[in-house]
């Protein structure tokens, strides 16, 4: 994420008095993950691993109204579905989460009103971050099923996005052609679609189904778009698991993410344990933060329903990838 | 002789111009009503964001309204200011270049504070309230024209004749 891109975001959506205060911290924008605004509370700039800086003493209700007007283009009615879901995607793929007063209709949330807090999540496309993992995924003519695991904010969506991009565009350095990839982007985080147009680079052979529940989306894509790979974010329900099993029966490879901090935590998950014990995924990749960067730990099937860690992530030319693939 | 004619023409023209302003005010209120009916349709049925809706509706409107809508749209998109600020700034410029008065300008101003806030059903109510206020302003303008247009014309002629008599 460049300084220029973050500066444009701040200039477009923040009132002038807050712009000045936020821009004082521009030296740290390349690590910026979130900008949190709450009425009557300080404005915080949030970085990786829980670090944060206070950029302004307080956010007034007029300033909040300003920001809501700017992010919605003065047209809350045009974003009813987004306000109902509690987030909105801005040009560039930035996502703004919001809280306020929920308006209910028939026991369901109809919309949010009197917005009291905004969370600007800085879109982070890191092209090439998945490059060490790509050789693992190619298996003969197909792609190995893979699960990315990390706690919230751990980088799994960023990693998934780059995997999708690289599979879609192909890997000339591995003599692999591009694959038809379909993405079920339920919360518009992977492709960051606005009006169904992707704001992030997800590859030239990627079809994005935006805002659709994962289970239904997977079925729709298998029927309509004949994908070779399906990518989904944050699986965790019975419906998700069922849809993934149907995808496997259809011969479609799956790249998915899930919340967790280890393979062991997946065994304890009330729903996902079925996929783990059934060894649905050829690889489980746990993303850990070490010395300020994400380090993937790769686990492959070890028989008996278990997964075992393989050696450290192989560089593309190290030859270790071939050994891993042969052991499957 | 030519001076007398000039004075008579100038005085009468001033009176006729004041009468014309009263008539123009009625016409401009009707233009506003039509423009906001189109905007209501654009917003309620297509759910277009305000800048896009304004740009779409502006095309078929008379010059003053077209300019007002474009200024709001431009201010929001190029100058990155919120809708209500752009609306008030553009309205000031409309006020300076039109014969609209406080009643209808206040109605449009307060509508601008409500525009885009809330869902589509609420937008519909704000549009209905605006039309109601504009209709009230139009009726007032029509009464004003009926009662005062002829008077202003006569005043213009009388003042010019009085000026001629005084000078000559």
């Amino acid at each position: 994420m460049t300084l220029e891109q973050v500066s444009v975001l701040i200039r477009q959506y923040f009132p002038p008095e807050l712009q000045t205060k936020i821009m004082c911290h521009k030296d740290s924008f390349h690590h910026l993950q979130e900008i949190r605004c709450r009425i009557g509370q300080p404005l915080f700039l949030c970085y990786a691993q829980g670090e944060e800086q206070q950029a302004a003493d307080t956010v007034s209700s007029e300033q909040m109204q300003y920001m809501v007007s700017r992010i919605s283009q003065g047209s809350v009615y045009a974003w009813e579905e987004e306000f109902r879901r509690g987030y909105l995607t801005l040009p560039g793929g930035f996502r703004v989460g919001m809280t306020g007063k929920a308006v209910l209709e028939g026991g369901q949330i109809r919309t949010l009103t009197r917005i009291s807090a905004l969370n600007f999540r800085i879109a982070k496309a890191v092209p090439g971050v998945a490059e060490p993992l790509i050789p693992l995924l190619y298996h003969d003519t197909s792609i190995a099923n893979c699960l990315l695991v990390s706690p919230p904010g751990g980088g799994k969506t960023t990693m998934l996005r780059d995997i999708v991009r690289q599979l879609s565009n192909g890997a000339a350095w591995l003599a692999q052609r591009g694959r038809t990839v379909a993405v079920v982007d339920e919360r518009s985080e992977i492709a960051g679609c606005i009006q169904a147009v992707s704001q992030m680079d997800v590859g030239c052979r990627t079809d994005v189904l935006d805002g659709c529940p994962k289970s239904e989306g997977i079925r729709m894509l298998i029927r309509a778009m004949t994908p070779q790979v399906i990518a989904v974010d944050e699986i965790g329900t019975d419906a998700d698991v069922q849809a993934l099993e149907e995808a496997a029966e259809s011969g479609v490879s799956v790249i998915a993410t899930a919340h967790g901090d280890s393979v062991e935590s997946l065994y304890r998950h009330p729903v996902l344990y079925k996929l783990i014990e059934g060894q649905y995924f050829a690889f489980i990749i746990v993303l850990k933060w070490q010395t300020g960067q994400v380090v993937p730990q790769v686990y492959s099937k070890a028989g008996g329903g278990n997964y075992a860690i393989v050696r450290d992530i192989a560089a593309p030319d190290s030859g270790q990838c071939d050994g891993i693939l042969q052991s499957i | 002789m030519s001076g007398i004619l000039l004075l008579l023409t100038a005085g009468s023209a001033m009176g006729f111009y004041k009468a014309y302003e009263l008539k123009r005010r009625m016409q401009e209120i009707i233009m506003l009503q039509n423009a906001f009916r189109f905007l209501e349709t654009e917003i309620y049925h297509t759910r277009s964001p305000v800048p896009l809706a304004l740009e779409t509706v502006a095309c078929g409107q008379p010059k003053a309204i077209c300019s007002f809508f474009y200024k709001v749209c431009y201010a929001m998109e190029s100058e990155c200011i919120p809708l209500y600020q752009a609306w008030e700034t553009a309205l000031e410029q409309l006020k300076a270049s039109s014969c609209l008065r406080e009643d209808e300008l206040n109605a449009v101003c307060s509508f601008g504070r409500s525009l885009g806030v809330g869902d589509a059903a609420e937008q519909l109510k704000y549009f209905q309230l605006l039309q109601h206020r504009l209709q009230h302003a139009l009726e007032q303008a029509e009464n004003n024209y009926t009662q005062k247009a002829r008077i202003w014309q006569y005043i213009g002629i009388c003042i010019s004749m009085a000026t001629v008599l005084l000078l000559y």
Side-chain angles (χ1 to χ4, degrees), chain A residues 264-282:
Chain A
E264 290 72 32
S265 67
L266 296 176
Y267 282 107
R268 295 192 297 270
H269 194 287
V271 173
L272 296 182
Y273 78 92
K274 298 173 214 170
L275 294 177
I276 308 304
E277 285 180 357
Q279 299 208 315
Y280 178 91
F281 296 103

Side-chain angles (χ1 to χ4, degrees), chain B residues 10-131:
Chain B
S12 304
M14 282 169 58
F16 275 83
Y17 183 75
K18 289 298 287 183
Y20 164 72
E21 280 188 338
L22 293 175
K23 186 177 180 185
R24 198 175 134 198
R25 182 189 169 204
M26 286 191 320
Q27 291 170 341
E28 286 175 347
I29 293 173
I30 292 171
M31 285 182 207
L32 279 179
Q33 286 180 311
N34 290 336
F36 282 112
R37 276 192 203 104
F38 280 113
L39 189 65
E40 175 187 337
T41 305
E42 187 66 29
I43 284 176
Y44 186 72
H45 292 285
T46 69
R47 302 286 203 269
S48 303
V50 168
L52 181 60
L54 289 174
E55 201 175 335
T56 306
V57 170
C59 293
Q61 298 305 314
K63 190 178 170 190
I65 309 296
C66 177
S67 175
F68 169 63
F69 283 172
Y70 271 129
K71 279 175 184 159
V72 175
C73 180
Y74 177 82
M76 286 182 71
E77 297 199 321
S78 302
E79 296 170 25
C80 299
I81 61 177
L83 168 62
Y84 54 88
Q85 281 183 17
W87 191 269
E88 285 173 7
T89 305
L91 197 60
E92 285 298 316
Q93 294 172 5
L94 179 65
K95 180 180 175 182
S97 62
S98 68
C99 296
L100 296 168
R101 297 236 190 123
E102 293 302 318
D103 286 346
E104 50 273 20
L105 288 170
N106 285 341
V108 174
C109 184
S110 58
F111 172 76
R113 293 197 158 266
S114 312
L115 181 60
V117 178
D119 59 18
E122 285 179 38
Q123 297 305 298
L124 204 56
K125 290 178 190 169
Y126 294 134
F127 273 107
Q128 287 168 351
L129 178 60
L130 173 65
Q131 291 293 349

Side-chain angles (χ1 to χ4, degrees), chain A residues 11-13 19 62 65-66 69-70 72-80 110-111 195, chain B residues 43 47-51 76-77 80-85 115-120 123:
Chain A
R11 202 163 49 241
Q12 283 193 330
Y13 302 107
Q19 286 178 30
E62 289 77 22
Q65 189 186 1
Y66 181 108
S69 180
R70 287 296 306 153
S72 63
Q73 294 180 281
S75 318
V76 169
Y77 62 85
W79 309 99
E80 276 185 34
R110 187 165 70 83
T111 188
Q195 312 277 354
Chain B
I43 284 176
R47 302 286 203 269
S48 303
V50 168
M76 286 182 71
E77 297 199 321
C80 299
I81 61 177
L83 168 62
Y84 54 88
Q85 281 183 17
L115 181 60
V117 178
D119 59 18
Q123 297 305 298

Side-chain angles (χ1 to χ4, degrees), chain A residues 124-134 155 157-163 165-166 294 296 313:
Chain A
K124 277 192 308 181
V126 187
V129 71
E131 200 157 287
L133 301 174
I134 295 299
T157 304
T158 304
M159 187 70 79
L160 176 68
R161 186 184 299 120
D162 197 50
I163 289 175
R165 184 185 67 83
Q166 298 218 32
V294 172
I313 285 300

Side-chain angles (χ1 to χ4, degrees), chain A:
Chain A
M1 178 54 51
T2 66
L3 171 64
E4 181 58 33
Q5 288 166 314
V6 178
S7 300
V8 166
L9 171 79
I10 290 163
R11 202 163 49 241
Q12 283 193 330
Y13 302 107
F14 287 81
E17 56 275 20
L18 290 181
Q19 286 178 30
T20 314
K21 291 177 181 176
I22 296 171
M23 291 304 288
C24 290
H25 302 272
K26 63 183 179 193
D27 291 339
S28 54
F29 278 179
H30 51 282
H31 291 310
L32 187 62
Q33 286 194 337
E34 294 176 343
I35 303 175
R36 287 188 171 262
C37 315
R38 302 174 180 92
I39 293 178
Q41 302 298 332
L43 186 149
F44 287 107
L45 306 179
C46 303
Y47 305 93
Q49 297 183 286
E51 291 177 32
E52 60 181 26
Q53 274 182 322
Q54 181 174 321
D57 289 334
T58 187
V59 177
S60 68
S61 55
E62 289 77 22
Q63 290 170 336
M64 182 62 67
Q65 189 186 1
Y66 181 108
M67 289 186 277
V68 171
S69 180
R70 287 296 306 153
I71 64 175
S72 63
Q73 294 180 281
S75 318
V76 169
Y77 62 85
W79 309 99
E80 276 185 34
E81 180 59 24
E82 284 79 3
F83 273 76
R84 187 188 66 77
R85 289 188 296 199
Y87 66 90
L88 191 149
T89 305
L90 301 175
F94 302 101
R95 197 178 70 156
V96 186
M98 57 191 89
T99 62
K101 177 158 173 40
V103 176
L104 301 180
E105 192 173 85
Q108 305 283 330
I109 298 175
R110 187 165 70 83
T111 188
L112 283 183
T113 187
R114 300 188 200 282
I115 303 301
S116 58
L118 294 173
N119 176 18
F120 290 82
R121 288 197 68 175
I122 306 299
K124 277 192 308 181
V126 187
V129 71
E131 200 157 287
L133 301 174
I134 295 299
L136 296 172
L137 300 179
Y138 289 110
H139 183 212
D140 291 335
T141 55
S142 67
I143 303 293
N145 290 344
C146 171
L147 180 66
L148 301 167
V149 178
S150 83
K156 49 185 182 298
T157 304
T158 304
M159 187 70 79
L160 176 68
R161 186 184 299 120
D162 197 50
I163 289 175
V164 166
R165 184 185 67 83
Q166 298 218 32
L167 291 178
S168 179
N169 290 338
W173 49 281
L174 293 172
Q176 291 286 349
R177 59 179 173 77
R179 300 298 202 273
T180 304
V181 182
V183 175
V184 186
D185 200 358
E186 185 171 8
R187 295 174 312 143
S188 304
E189 280 193 299
I190 305 171
C193 286
I194 296 177
Q195 312 277 354
V197 175
S198 173
Q199 301 295 299
M200 315 291 278
D201 182 6
V202 288
C204 60
R205 296 178 182 81
T206 303
D207 305 306
V208 180
L209 188 56
D210 183 54
C212 181
K214 285 185 279 289
S215 51
E216 290 170 47
I218 289 170
R219 292 187 185 98
M220 281 171 64
L221 289 169
I222 291 171
R223 271 184 245 128
M225 303 307 289
T226 55
Q228 292 167 296
V229 182
I230 285 182
V232 287
D233 203 8
E234 296 187 13
I235 57 171
T237 65
D238 283 318
D240 296 343
V241 169
Q242 199 175 353
L244 291 184
E245 287 169 346
E246 289 175 25
E249 287 167 14
S250 304
V252 178
S253 302
V254 171
I255 313 290
T257 74
H259 285 307
D261 56 9
S262 62
V263 174
E264 290 72 32
S265 67
L266 296 176
Y267 282 107
R268 295 192 297 270
H269 194 287
V271 173
L272 296 182
Y273 78 92
K274 298 173 214 170
L275 294 177
I276 308 304
E277 285 180 357
Q279 299 208 315
Y280 178 91
F281 296 103
F283 296 103
I284 296 176
I285 299 167
V286 180
L287 303 179
K288 301 265 188 191
W289 276 92
Q290 285 177 14
T291 59
Q293 59 183 358
V294 172
V295 175
Q297 289 182 339
V298 180
Y299 294 76
S300 68
K301 288 191 277 193
N306 297 319
Y307 282 83
I309 192 166
V310 297
R311 283 182 294 236
D312 291 338
I313 285 300
D317 58 350
S318 73
Q320 291 177 354
C321 307
D322 295 334
I324 293 167
L325 291 172
Q326 284 167 10
S327 69
I328 296 173

